Amino acid sequence: MVTTGENAVITADTYLQEFLLDFSKDRLGRELFETQSLILLNKELEKYNKCLTSTWHMFLPRTKVELKNHYPTKWFYDKEIFCFYGQNQFPNAISKSFNKNRPDKIVVCAYDGEKIMGMAGCSEDAPKWYQIGVDVLPQYRNKGIATYLVTLLKDKIIKQGNIPFYGTTLANYSSWNVALKSGFTPAWVEIGYKKL
């Protein structure tokens, strides 16, 4: 289920369609994401041994950002990214392993000498739609590294003619601030479901 505020788009298995037609009737998209609505929807899903996932708040680029900080960086593309799989230090920046449905396309790392301080990466989640994720090692946090890397990557994706987007959960305000400081603006909210 996805909303930009006024309207919503819902895709579901056929056995949920009658419930969802009644659930969404005469309601704004944002109302479907209110707590009471999500509780009701989750109760219905439990009948089928399923439950809702987290809500994801998604951002699109809005403004160009002038970077104040500068860090030594190195870029990696496509198969060059494979060397990072299995390291588990950067779970938001790249996938655990190659994912043919959402392949990692670009990674940019910030360095302290030979040590990686942080990494921003993007996966191609749909043709020309590149989702950005970022991780900074604990000892390097609160120095603007995440904002720096996300801004660099966002600008690179746009320059290539693709669409960067960024997602985070509702209460992850550190991530929200990175998105906003990197020139992104809130665009839509989405939620899915999974098997219990």
Side-chain angles (χ1 to χ4, degrees):
M1 182 167 69
V2 178
T3 185
T4 56
E6 297 297 315
N7 298 313
V9 175
I10 304 172
T11 60
D13 293 314
T14 54
Y15 57 81
L16 289 169
Q17 287 183 356
E18 187 176 332
F19 168 83
L20 290 169
L21 284 171
D22 186 56
F23 172 76
S24 60
K25 184 179 179 184
D26 300 324
R27 298 175 76 198
L28 294 172
R30 65 179 172 267
E31 295 172 337
L32 302 179
F33 282 81
E34 291 175 355
T35 302
Q36 292 302 327
S37 297
L38 295 178
I39 290 170
L40 183 65
L41 180 54
N42 203 59
K43 281 184 180 178
E44 182 68 19
L45 289 171
E46 286 174 352
K47 295 177 185 176
Y48 304 98
N49 200 36
K50 294 182 171 59
C51 67
L52 292 172
T53 61
S54 296
T55 56
W56 289 93
H57 298 252
M58 310 304 286
F59 298 76
L60 287 171
R62 178 193 63 209
T63 57
K64 182 113 173 104
V65 174
E66 293 299 323
L67 293 169
K68 297 175 184 172
N69 300 326
H70 293 278
Y71 298 95
T73 57
K74 185 173 179 185
W75 294 85
F76 302 85
Y77 301 89
D78 300 312
K79 290 183 179 179
E80 295 174 343
I81 298 166
F82 290 11
C83 67
F84 297 111
Y85 291 147
Q87 293 184 17
N88 302 322
Q89 291 179 298
F90 307 104
N92 296 303
I94 59 172
S95 300
K96 291 180 181 179
S97 60
F98 178 74
N99 181 343
K100 68 177 182 174
N101 296 320
R102 299 176 59 220
D104 292 311
K105 301 300 283 181
I106 309 170
V107 161
V108 58
C109 297
Y111 286 85
D112 177 10
E114 297 294 314
K115 184 177 177 68
I116 296 176
M117 298 186 291
M119 173 190 290
C122 63
S123 56
E124 187 173 19
D125 291 9
K128 300 186 80 58
W129 283 79
Y130 284 44
Q131 181 168 192
I132 295 174
V134 65
D135 291 290
V136 176
L137 297 181
Q139 63 270 35
Y140 294 106
R141 291 182 183 157
N142 300 312
K143 299 178 186 302
I145 296 169
T147 299
Y148 179 71
L149 292 172
V150 169
T151 302
L152 287 178
L153 186 54
K154 176 197 72 172
D155 293 346
K156 172 81 76 174
I157 293 166
I158 292 170
K159 190 174 180 180
Q160 291 180 343
N162 296 311
I163 302 163
F165 68 104
Y166 185 101
T168 189
T169 56
L170 176 63
N172 190 345
Y173 279 105
S174 294
S175 188
W176 275 72
N177 283 325
V178 169
L180 296 172
K181 289 176 185 176
S182 300
F184 284 91
T185 191
W188 74 90
V189 179
E190 60 185 58
I191 194 168
Y193 68 87
K194 61 185 179 181
K195 290 183 180 178
L196 287 172

